[in-house]
Amino acid sequence: MVKAVRTDRELECPSVDAGLRAHGVELVTLPEGISEDDLCAAVADADLLLMCYTPITARVIAAAPRLKGIVKYGVGIDAIDIPAAMARGIPVVNIPDYAEETVAEGAFALMIALARRLPAISSAVADQGWIWPESRWLGRDIAGATLGLVGCGRIGRSLARMAGVGFRARVLGYDPYLDAAAMRGAGIEKVDALPDLLAASDFISIHTVLNQSTRGMIGAAELACMKRTAILINVSRGALVDEAALVDAVMEGRLGGVGLDTYSLEPLRKAGHPMSPLYRHDNVILLPHLAFFTVEAMQRLEADTLARCEEILQGRPVTVRSNDPRLRAQRAGIRFA
């Protein structure tokens, strides 16, 4: 019997699970946080591996002699040892475009909520029943403000449209891989130096991939470039930001607000986590990595995931839609779209 293993079963994918079982696949679902040893044991006779957050190391790949493909049911592929998979000729595929608008909407929701001080106001009303328009509740307009985008891929460009066309914000962008004409076509003014963008922006939203060159790209020096009133949004990858430096900036009152959906160490915890000090700050919103989580996005994610699984199990080349060079470097069992 063909066997598939799906990690991170806490992210429910009923259509994927039912679809695989309908094809006669023995499906084993594993919890988040499973040990490498237990994962190696589970994949020893697996033909297909689906993952979302759990690291797929070289050791895990070596422990699966029957493995025909690895499907990331999501976008980020940082947790997969792709060179180890390529050495075995095992195709790796992700689902890159199911939530572009959805995640951009999530970033914009964080911007609006922090600009209008909604967490603090909502908490005060819950405690007191009513509040009056004192200066401490003053919000800020997005119209006429400057949004700085760190990374101007599909999600960044969607956010640029929402803020620029929708709310009349000025939109700046830092992206070494896009030229000024392409960015101008998306309503974005290209800025060549990251510190210049940070210094000029009222809102900063991060939308870039995590790799060795971008890890920690927003560090203490970059945070020091920002206005003390600036609001920082990160719905991409936690490790893009030096989180210790970010905690210091918030605790010292050097930022106007912070909205986070991703963290270098997940899950987030109220105690004993590097980001724990940010709980209960009324200018901070902490989301549990759910900017992608809408009815429509999950329908798209499950449909595309199941389609990629079927291609692998039927022995067909798996369709790679991502432009990530790590996936584009593959040669075995791949069809680029």
Side-chain angles (χ1 to χ4, degrees), residues 107 110 204-208 232-241 243 246 258-263:
L110 287 169
I204 297 114
S205 194
I206 304 172
H207 300 283
T208 188
L232 176 66
I233 307 296
N234 186 12
V235 297
S236 294
R237 289 292 178 266
L240 294 166
V241 179
E243 293 175 325
L246 178 60
V258 175
L260 303 175
D261 186 50
T262 57
Y263 314 89

PDB file of all heavy atoms in Angstrom, residues 107 110 204-208 232-241 243 246 258-263:
ATOM      1  N   ALA A 107      -1.602  41.823   6.706  1.00  0.00           N
ATOM      2  CA  ALA A 107      -0.651  42.891   7.031  1.00  0.00           C
ATOM      3  C   ALA A 107      -1.362  44.235   7.116  1.00  0.00           C
ATOM      4  O   ALA A 107      -1.090  45.046   8.017  1.00  0.00           O
ATOM      5  CB  ALA A 107       0.457  42.941   5.980  1.00  0.00           C
ATOM      6  N   LEU A 110      -3.303  44.638  10.340  1.00  0.00           N
ATOM      7  CA  LEU A 110      -2.424  45.004  11.445  1.00  0.00           C
ATOM      8  C   LEU A 110      -2.075  46.488  11.395  1.00  0.00           C
ATOM      9  O   LEU A 110      -2.045  47.175  12.426  1.00  0.00           O
ATOM     10  CB  LEU A 110      -1.154  44.161  11.410  1.00  0.00           C
ATOM     11  CG  LEU A 110      -1.305  42.699  11.817  1.00  0.00           C
ATOM     12  CD1 LEU A 110      -0.031  41.916  11.490  1.00  0.00           C
ATOM     13  CD2 LEU A 110      -1.622  42.572  13.296  1.00  0.00           C
ATOM     14  N   ILE A 204       6.234  50.279   8.145  1.00  0.00           N
ATOM     15  CA  ILE A 204       7.178  49.398   7.450  1.00  0.00           C
ATOM     16  C   ILE A 204       6.609  47.995   7.494  1.00  0.00           C
ATOM     17  O   ILE A 204       6.259  47.493   8.569  1.00  0.00           O
ATOM     18  CB  ILE A 204       8.575  49.417   8.106  1.00  0.00           C
ATOM     19  CG1 ILE A 204       9.202  50.810   8.027  1.00  0.00           C
ATOM     20  CG2 ILE A 204       9.496  48.395   7.443  1.00  0.00           C
ATOM     21  CD1 ILE A 204       9.373  51.466   9.349  1.00  0.00           C
ATOM     22  N   SER A 205       6.501  47.354   6.327  1.00  0.00           N
ATOM     23  CA  SER A 205       5.975  45.996   6.260  1.00  0.00           C
ATOM     24  C   SER A 205       6.966  45.123   5.510  1.00  0.00           C
ATOM     25  O   SER A 205       7.439  45.480   4.421  1.00  0.00           O
ATOM     26  CB  SER A 205       4.609  45.989   5.567  1.00  0.00           C
ATOM     27  OG  SER A 205       3.946  44.763   5.762  1.00  0.00           O
ATOM     28  N   ILE A 206       7.285  43.971   6.096  1.00  0.00           N
ATOM     29  CA  ILE A 206       8.337  43.098   5.567  1.00  0.00           C
ATOM     30  C   ILE A 206       7.705  41.988   4.729  1.00  0.00           C
ATOM     31  O   ILE A 206       6.823  41.269   5.194  1.00  0.00           O
ATOM     32  CB  ILE A 206       9.153  42.490   6.715  1.00  0.00           C
ATOM     33  CG1 ILE A 206       9.723  43.603   7.619  1.00  0.00           C
ATOM     34  CG2 ILE A 206      10.289  41.625   6.169  1.00  0.00           C
ATOM     35  CD1 ILE A 206      10.375  43.073   8.881  1.00  0.00           C
ATOM     36  N   HIS A 207       8.199  41.845   3.497  1.00  0.00           N
ATOM     37  CA  HIS A 207       7.651  40.835   2.573  1.00  0.00           C
ATOM     38  C   HIS A 207       8.763  40.258   1.714  1.00  0.00           C
ATOM     39  O   HIS A 207       8.762  40.392   0.488  1.00  0.00           O
ATOM     40  CB  HIS A 207       6.564  41.460   1.694  1.00  0.00           C
ATOM     41  CG  HIS A 207       5.427  42.010   2.475  1.00  0.00           C
ATOM     42  ND1 HIS A 207       4.453  41.219   3.035  1.00  0.00           N
ATOM     43  CD2 HIS A 207       5.141  43.283   2.841  1.00  0.00           C
ATOM     44  CE1 HIS A 207       3.596  41.976   3.695  1.00  0.00           C
ATOM     45  NE2 HIS A 207       3.985  43.230   3.604  1.00  0.00           N
ATOM     46  N   THR A 208       9.712  39.600   2.355  1.00  0.00           N
ATOM     47  CA  THR A 208      10.824  39.012   1.618  1.00  0.00           C
ATOM     48  C   THR A 208      11.051  37.588   2.098  1.00  0.00           C
ATOM     49  O   THR A 208      10.587  37.202   3.178  1.00  0.00           O
ATOM     50  CB  THR A 208      12.101  39.862   1.811  1.00  0.00           C
ATOM     51  OG1 THR A 208      13.129  39.395   0.942  1.00  0.00           O
ATOM     52  CG2 THR A 208      12.585  39.830   3.248  1.00  0.00           C
ATOM     53  N   LEU A 232       5.928  48.821  12.729  1.00  0.00           N
ATOM     54  CA  LEU A 232       6.591  47.745  11.998  1.00  0.00           C
ATOM     55  C   LEU A 232       5.683  46.528  11.937  1.00  0.00           C
ATOM     56  O   LEU A 232       5.151  46.081  12.962  1.00  0.00           O
ATOM     57  CB  LEU A 232       7.900  47.371  12.699  1.00  0.00           C
ATOM     58  CG  LEU A 232       8.679  46.187  12.114  1.00  0.00           C
ATOM     59  CD1 LEU A 232       9.190  46.515  10.719  1.00  0.00           C
ATOM     60  CD2 LEU A 232       9.836  45.783  13.031  1.00  0.00           C
ATOM     61  N   ILE A 233       5.511  45.990  10.727  1.00  0.00           N
ATOM     62  CA  ILE A 233       4.670  44.813  10.494  1.00  0.00           C
ATOM     63  C   ILE A 233       5.529  43.698   9.915  1.00  0.00           C
ATOM     64  O   ILE A 233       6.295  43.914   8.978  1.00  0.00           O
ATOM     65  CB  ILE A 233       3.525  45.140   9.497  1.00  0.00           C
ATOM     66  CG1 ILE A 233       2.722  46.363   9.934  1.00  0.00           C
ATOM     67  CG2 ILE A 233       2.634  43.912   9.303  1.00  0.00           C
ATOM     68  CD1 ILE A 233       1.980  46.205  11.227  1.00  0.00           C
ATOM     69  N   ASN A 234       5.393  42.493  10.463  1.00  0.00           N
ATOM     70  CA  ASN A 234       6.080  41.334   9.891  1.00  0.00           C
ATOM     71  C   ASN A 234       5.128  40.153   9.834  1.00  0.00           C
ATOM     72  O   ASN A 234       4.782  39.560  10.860  1.00  0.00           O
ATOM     73  CB  ASN A 234       7.316  40.961  10.704  1.00  0.00           C
ATOM     74  CG  ASN A 234       8.120  39.844  10.036  1.00  0.00           C
ATOM     75  OD1 ASN A 234       7.883  39.505   8.877  1.00  0.00           O
ATOM     76  ND2 ASN A 234       9.082  39.288  10.753  1.00  0.00           N
ATOM     77  N   VAL A 235       4.697  39.811   8.613  1.00  0.00           N
ATOM     78  CA  VAL A 235       3.876  38.618   8.388  1.00  0.00           C
ATOM     79  C   VAL A 235       4.636  37.621   7.513  1.00  0.00           C
ATOM     80  O   VAL A 235       4.035  36.703   6.960  1.00  0.00           O
ATOM     81  CB  VAL A 235       2.523  38.981   7.742  1.00  0.00           C
ATOM     82  CG1 VAL A 235       1.696  39.867   8.651  1.00  0.00           C
ATOM     83  CG2 VAL A 235       2.722  39.669   6.383  1.00  0.00           C
ATOM     84  N   SER A 236       5.957  37.793   7.385  1.00  0.00           N
ATOM     85  CA  SER A 236       6.755  36.951   6.501  1.00  0.00           C
ATOM     86  C   SER A 236       7.452  35.841   7.272  1.00  0.00           C
ATOM     87  O   SER A 236       6.932  34.737   7.370  1.00  0.00           O
ATOM     88  CB  SER A 236       7.765  37.811   5.734  1.00  0.00           C
ATOM     89  OG  SER A 236       7.085  38.689   4.854  1.00  0.00           O
ATOM     90  N   ARG A 237       8.625  36.113   7.829  1.00  0.00           N
ATOM     91  CA  ARG A 237       9.350  35.136   8.619  1.00  0.00           C
ATOM     92  C   ARG A 237       9.967  35.853   9.818  1.00  0.00           C
ATOM     93  O   ARG A 237      10.577  36.911   9.666  1.00  0.00           O
ATOM     94  CB  ARG A 237      10.457  34.459   7.791  1.00  0.00           C
ATOM     95  CG  ARG A 237       9.932  33.509   6.715  1.00  0.00           C
ATOM     96  CD  ARG A 237       9.283  32.279   7.317  1.00  0.00           C
ATOM     97  NE  ARG A 237       8.736  31.380   6.309  1.00  0.00           N
ATOM     98  CZ  ARG A 237       7.478  31.413   5.896  1.00  0.00           C
ATOM     99  NH1 ARG A 237       6.640  32.318   6.383  1.00  0.00           N
ATOM    100  NH2 ARG A 237       7.056  30.549   4.994  1.00  0.00           N
ATOM    101  N   GLY A 238       9.837  35.261  10.994  1.00  0.00           N
ATOM    102  CA  GLY A 238      10.316  35.902  12.203  1.00  0.00           C
ATOM    103  C   GLY A 238      11.796  36.196  12.175  1.00  0.00           C
ATOM    104  O   GLY A 238      12.253  37.229  12.677  1.00  0.00           O
ATOM    105  N   ALA A 239      12.587  35.297  11.589  1.00  0.00           N
ATOM    106  CA  ALA A 239      14.036  35.438  11.623  1.00  0.00           C
ATOM    107  C   ALA A 239      14.547  36.543  10.704  1.00  0.00           C
ATOM    108  O   ALA A 239      15.751  36.830  10.702  1.00  0.00           O
ATOM    109  CB  ALA A 239      14.699  34.118  11.260  1.00  0.00           C
ATOM    110  N   LEU A 240      13.684  37.190   9.950  1.00  0.00           N
ATOM    111  CA  LEU A 240      14.094  38.361   9.176  1.00  0.00           C
ATOM    112  C   LEU A 240      14.441  39.529  10.093  1.00  0.00           C
ATOM    113  O   LEU A 240      15.144  40.458   9.694  1.00  0.00           O
ATOM    114  CB  LEU A 240      12.984  38.782   8.213  1.00  0.00           C
ATOM    115  CG  LEU A 240      12.660  37.785   7.102  1.00  0.00           C
ATOM    116  CD1 LEU A 240      11.342  38.147   6.429  1.00  0.00           C
ATOM    117  CD2 LEU A 240      13.790  37.732   6.082  1.00  0.00           C
ATOM    118  N   VAL A 241      13.939  39.472  11.324  1.00  0.00           N
ATOM    119  CA  VAL A 241      14.149  40.532  12.299  1.00  0.00           C
ATOM    120  C   VAL A 241      15.014  40.006  13.436  1.00  0.00           C
ATOM    121  O   VAL A 241      14.842  38.866  13.883  1.00  0.00           O
ATOM    122  CB  VAL A 241      12.796  41.024  12.854  1.00  0.00           C
ATOM    123  CG1 VAL A 241      12.990  42.122  13.897  1.00  0.00           C
ATOM    124  CG2 VAL A 241      11.906  41.524  11.724  1.00  0.00           C
ATOM    125  N   GLU A 243      15.131  39.631  16.773  1.00  0.00           N
ATOM    126  CA  GLU A 243      14.013  39.743  17.707  1.00  0.00           C
ATOM    127  C   GLU A 243      14.440  40.317  19.056  1.00  0.00           C
ATOM    128  O   GLU A 243      13.673  41.026  19.704  1.00  0.00           O
ATOM    129  CB  GLU A 243      13.337  38.385  17.856  1.00  0.00           C
ATOM    130  CG  GLU A 243      12.652  37.952  16.564  1.00  0.00           C
ATOM    131  CD  GLU A 243      12.056  36.566  16.615  1.00  0.00           C
ATOM    132  OE1 GLU A 243      12.674  35.698  17.284  1.00  0.00           O
ATOM    133  OE2 GLU A 243      11.004  36.338  15.991  1.00  0.00           O
ATOM    134  N   LEU A 246      14.448  43.926  18.590  1.00  0.00           N
ATOM    135  CA  LEU A 246      13.080  44.427  18.491  1.00  0.00           C
ATOM    136  C   LEU A 246      12.445  44.541  19.872  1.00  0.00           C
ATOM    137  O   LEU A 246      11.778  45.534  20.180  1.00  0.00           O
ATOM    138  CB  LEU A 246      12.253  43.499  17.597  1.00  0.00           C
ATOM    139  CG  LEU A 246      10.776  43.868  17.436  1.00  0.00           C
ATOM    140  CD1 LEU A 246      10.623  45.254  16.813  1.00  0.00           C
ATOM    141  CD2 LEU A 246      10.040  42.825  16.603  1.00  0.00           C
ATOM    142  N   VAL A 258       4.067  47.626  16.827  1.00  0.00           N
ATOM    143  CA  VAL A 258       4.595  46.426  16.183  1.00  0.00           C
ATOM    144  C   VAL A 258       3.454  45.438  15.992  1.00  0.00           C
ATOM    145  O   VAL A 258       2.700  45.154  16.933  1.00  0.00           O
ATOM    146  CB  VAL A 258       5.705  45.770  17.043  1.00  0.00           C
ATOM    147  CG1 VAL A 258       6.161  44.462  16.408  1.00  0.00           C
ATOM    148  CG2 VAL A 258       6.883  46.715  17.214  1.00  0.00           C
ATOM    149  N   GLY A 259       3.332  44.902  14.786  1.00  0.00           N
ATOM    150  CA  GLY A 259       2.372  43.845  14.497  1.00  0.00           C
ATOM    151  C   GLY A 259       3.098  42.640  13.933  1.00  0.00           C
ATOM    152  O   GLY A 259       3.745  42.741  12.883  1.00  0.00           O
ATOM    153  N   LEU A 260       3.021  41.503  14.616  1.00  0.00           N
ATOM    154  CA  LEU A 260       3.775  40.312  14.228  1.00  0.00           C
ATOM    155  C   LEU A 260       2.844  39.120  14.044  1.00  0.00           C
ATOM    156  O   LEU A 260       1.925  38.913  14.831  1.00  0.00           O
ATOM    157  CB  LEU A 260       4.812  39.966  15.305  1.00  0.00           C
ATOM    158  CG  LEU A 260       5.828  41.054  15.676  1.00  0.00           C
ATOM    159  CD1 LEU A 260       6.693  40.584  16.834  1.00  0.00           C
ATOM    160  CD2 LEU A 260       6.676  41.425  14.474  1.00  0.00           C
ATOM    161  N   ASP A 261       3.125  38.344  13.016  1.00  0.00           N
ATOM    162  CA  ASP A 261       2.406  37.088  12.810  1.00  0.00           C
ATOM    163  C   ASP A 261       3.358  35.902  12.771  1.00  0.00           C
ATOM    164  O   ASP A 261       2.913  34.760  12.789  1.00  0.00           O
ATOM    165  CB  ASP A 261       1.599  37.153  11.503  1.00  0.00           C
ATOM    166  CG  ASP A 261       0.717  35.941  11.295  1.00  0.00           C
ATOM    167  OD1 ASP A 261      -0.030  35.579  12.233  1.00  0.00           O
ATOM    168  OD2 ASP A 261       0.776  35.334  10.208  1.00  0.00           O
ATOM    169  N   THR A 262       4.661  36.168  12.692  1.00  0.00           N
ATOM    170  CA  THR A 262       5.634  35.088  12.590  1.00  0.00           C
ATOM    171  C   THR A 262       6.793  35.339  13.549  1.00  0.00           C
ATOM    172  O   THR A 262       7.128  36.485  13.870  1.00  0.00           O
ATOM    173  CB  THR A 262       6.189  34.961  11.158  1.00  0.00           C
ATOM    174  OG1 THR A 262       6.767  36.217  10.771  1.00  0.00           O
ATOM    175  CG2 THR A 262       5.091  34.598  10.183  1.00  0.00           C
ATOM    176  N   TYR A 263       7.444  34.242  13.966  1.00  0.00           N
ATOM    177  CA  TYR A 263       8.484  34.303  14.976  1.00  0.00           C
ATOM    178  C   TYR A 263       9.550  33.269  14.624  1.00  0.00           C
ATOM    179  O   TYR A 263       9.238  32.230  14.022  1.00  0.00           O
ATOM    180  CB  TYR A 263       7.895  34.011  16.371  1.00  0.00           C
ATOM    181  CG  TYR A 263       6.616  34.800  16.592  1.00  0.00           C
ATOM    182  CD1 TYR A 263       5.371  34.262  16.218  1.00  0.00           C
ATOM    183  CD2 TYR A 263       6.653  36.089  17.102  1.00  0.00           C
ATOM    184  CE1 TYR A 263       4.204  34.996  16.362  1.00  0.00           C
ATOM    185  CE2 TYR A 263       5.481  36.830  17.251  1.00  0.00           C
ATOM    186  CZ  TYR A 263       4.265  36.280  16.875  1.00  0.00           C
ATOM    187  OH  TYR A 263       3.109  37.020  16.999  1.00  0.00           O
TER     188      TYR A 263
END
